Amino acid sequence: MSRNLIYKLLGALVVVAAAVLWILSLTVPETFGFFSLAWAGVLLCGGIGVIFLLNGIFQKNITTIKKLKIWFGVALLVCAVLCLVSAITIPENLVIPIIAVIVAVGFMITILATAGKKWDEGDNHKVGYKNYFERKKEEEKQNEEK
């Protein structure tokens, strides 16, 4: 089974779990009355955010897509925190520090997952790289020798 299939299955499982719990909260309010739309948002955003983070971290090549997946996961985790704030009352002075910690962890994960490499590093950053004019001179020199 490929990683992408596993991530898709985990995402579907998160959506099904949130939907089932929400339906149970509407049909059996005595038992599942605590589960509201805000808790469904926490479950959906948190679960899918973690899936995006894992997908970005364990993606093989270092590209912009990898960073975008990590940052989309971080954005979903911030949404999960905001849903959590509306689900339970967290004091307002703790909301911004929690979001700041999530964003800081996102920066750390991005740096660790990409090993600090930039997405646009080209051949000209490699040792011994010769630009167009240097290559052209060498080519002319080789043609003159022949």
Side-chain angles (χ1 to χ4, degrees), residues 85-104:
V85 167
S86 68
I88 58 174
T89 6
I90 296 177
E92 288 185 26
N93 57 350
L94 287 179
V95 174
I96 299 297
I98 291 172
I99 291 173
V101 166
I102 292 172
V103 170

Side-chain angles (χ1 to χ4, degrees), residues 116-131:
K117 294 181 182 176
K118 295 182 180 177
W119 65 272
D120 63 345
E121 282 188 356
D123 291 336
N124 57 343
H125 294 287
K126 295 180 182 175
V127 176
Y129 174 77
K130 297 177 183 174
N131 64 20

Side-chain angles (χ1 to χ4, degrees), residues 6-20 43-44 51:
I6 292 172
Y7 292 133
K8 288 178 184 177
L9 288 174
L10 285 174
L13 183 66
V14 167
V15 171
V16 167
V20 166
L43 186 61
L44 284 171
I51 290 170

Side-chain angles (χ1 to χ4, degrees), residues 46 100 132 139:
Y132 172 78
E139 187 179 305

